[in-house]
Amino acid sequence: MNILLLGKTGQLGFELQRTLSPFGRIVAPARAELDLANAQEVSDYLAQVRPNIIVNAAAWTAVDAAETQQAEAKRLNADLPEQLAKYAAVNNIRLVHYSSDYVYSGAGIIPWQENSPTAPLNVYGETKLQGDEAIQYSGSDYLIFRTSWVYSARGKNFMKTMLHLAESKSELNIISDQFGAPTPARLIAQITALAIHSKLKTGLYHLAPAGQISWYGFAKEIFRLAGKSIKVNSIQTSDYPTLAIRPLNSRMDLTKLQQALNIQLPNWQNQLELTLNEYLEQ
Ligand SMILES: NC(=O)c1ccc[n+]([C@@H]2O[C@H](COP(=O)([O-])OP(=O)(O)OC[C@H]3O[C@@H](n4cnc5c(N)ncnc54)[C@H](OP(=O)(O)O)[C@@H]3O)[C@@H](O)[C@H]2O)c1
């Protein structure tokens, strides 16, 4: 089986290279071999590789930069998934894709369900939603995993930023009114492998660890587990203006995926401990 993996240099793509390897031959072009911003290059590559499954972990993930580079963000997050889904539909193959909690409005405190209304607050969220909708309308056999607050022992993420800052600062101000579930890329990759193996039914599923926390609470737990004594002050989103507006409520209901795979997703604290240990052991 030919598995086309896009975005292998990203947090999730890196983990997927390991978890997908038992399923077949992984073809994973880096940017220098295939520029995903170029639609013609992508269709030529698909015609040449003729994959049996496409796993798309590539995306434009620079949330603030998406506000000013809208065309580039749209190409990666909306047009590319549409192109892949059309190919998957015509060739009768499965497409696995990843979406974001940023498609929701962030209102309230109730966890979002897969059929909750979407109302993105920023360009990144809008483009991710366009990608999801294009895949859903394509008629392809797709899996979309909508996840949140991705981090890992590699790449650029909140956990690593906190640990770097702890080297030079004695005090940090962290936002305490945005809630979600920090999700290790490795967990997403493991569940992706399970879903492929168990032929999970076509559809969109939330995928994150169980439980919820604010960035402030997440930071405190990172420092506690890493044995760093740093003072963490709680601030509000309004105290830390950014180009792109962030949702306050990124809580996601996990029932659909847990029932479909007959699993219990582990809690975020357990996942942080594993990911932090992996990072510290490197
Ligand atoms: N990060 C989060 O907090 C978060 C939250 C919710 C959902 N998600 C979703 O989860 C998925 C994985 O995210 P991630 O954090 O693993 O992303 P990431 O680390 O930013 O990786 C993105 C990948 O896309 C590739 N890419 C981007 N533009 C490209 C281009 N023009 N040509 C070729 N490759 C290109 C990057 O390649 P280079 O290394 O060459 O740049 C990289 O491999 C994405 O769908 C994302 O939207 C992420």
Side-chain angles (χ1 to χ4, degrees):
M1 175 153 95
N2 266 352
I3 303 163
L4 177 59
L5 170 62
L6 302 177
K8 76 162 174 188
T9 51
Q11 299 189 87
L12 176 57
F14 179 85
E15 301 292 340
L16 283 164
Q17 287 183 83
R18 296 195 229 192
T19 61
L20 298 181
S21 57
F23 296 112
R25 171 174 166 263
I26 297 180
V27 182
R31 190 189 286 254
E33 294 158 76
L34 175 61
D35 180 3
L36 298 169
N38 185 326
Q40 187 59 51
E41 266 191 44
V42 172
S43 43
D44 291 348
Y45 197 86
L46 289 168
Q48 181 200 323
V49 171
R50 298 170 57 85
N52 305 104
I53 181 167
I54 302 172
V55 181
N56 178 32
W60 179 286
T61 55
V63 174
D64 288 313
E67 297 293 314
T68 50
Q69 290 170 262
Q70 301 191 1
E72 291 86 346
K74 180 173 178 291
R75 166 62 202 158
L76 255 291
N77 294 347
D79 302 344
L80 173 69
E82 180 174 17
Q83 184 179 9
L84 299 174
K86 283 182 174 162
Y87 179 89
V90 168
N91 292 280
N92 205 18
I93 63 165
R94 177 158 260 201
L95 169 65
V96 182
H97 179 73
Y98 302 91
S99 175
S100 165
D101 53 305
Y102 278 27
V103 302
Y104 299 117
S105 73
I109 57 165
I110 297 169
W112 302 105
Q113 296 189 329
E114 285 82 350
N115 58 4
S116 294
T118 48
L121 299 174
N122 55 45
V123 172
Y124 169 77
E126 274 169 29
T127 58
K128 290 299 291 184
L129 179 60
Q130 287 166 9
D132 295 355
E133 290 179 344
I135 293 171
Q136 289 172 307
Y137 294 137
S138 68
S140 64
D141 171 16
Y142 68 86
L143 293 176
I144 300 174
F145 293 114
R146 197 168 269 172
T147 188
S148 61
W149 299 17
V150 178
Y151 71 107
S152 81
R154 286 164 207 82
K156 198 167 165 268
N157 58 65
F158 185 84
M159 181 190 80
K160 286 180 62 187
T161 302
M162 289 300 110
L163 293 169
H164 286 310
L165 288 173
E167 300 299 319
S168 55
K169 310 258 184 206
S170 56
E171 203 170 326
L172 286 174
N173 296 333
I174 307 291
I175 289 170
S176 63
D177 60 350
Q178 292 175 21
F179 286 84
T183 308
R186 183 167 292 187
L187 178 70
I188 306 173
Q190 288 167 337
I191 299 295
T192 299
L194 179 61
I196 291 172
H197 179 69
S198 56
K199 299 187 169 48
L200 178 62
K201 187 167 168 261
T202 298
L204 185 152
Y205 300 85
H206 288 166
L207 168 48
Q212 52 170 274
I213 191 69
S214 66
W215 291 112
Y216 166 79
F218 186 36
K220 287 188 64 149
E221 188 64 1
I222 292 166
F223 295 134
R224 188 186 74 75
L225 289 169
K228 305 276 182 199
S229 52
I230 180 165
K231 188 163 181 282
V232 186
N233 304 314
S234 146
I235 60 164
Q236 302 295 291
T237 300
S238 53
D239 299 326
Y240 187 76
T242 49
L243 209 49
I245 300 167
R246 264 70 174 175
L248 299 183
N249 177 21
S250 284
R251 299 168 182 90
M252 295 195 298
D253 190 307
L254 306 172
T255 310
K256 183 178 174 187
L257 182 63
Q258 294 189 141
Q259 286 184 350
L261 287 176
N262 193 21
I263 56 166
Q264 198 65 48
L265 283 155
N267 65 43
W268 69 265
Q269 292 98 324
N270 153 282
Q271 291 294 295
L272 171 60
E273 209 170 333
L274 291 173
T275 313
L276 186 64
N277 286 342
E278 188 196 344
Y279 174 68
L280 296 175
E281 280 164 12
Q282 274 175 20

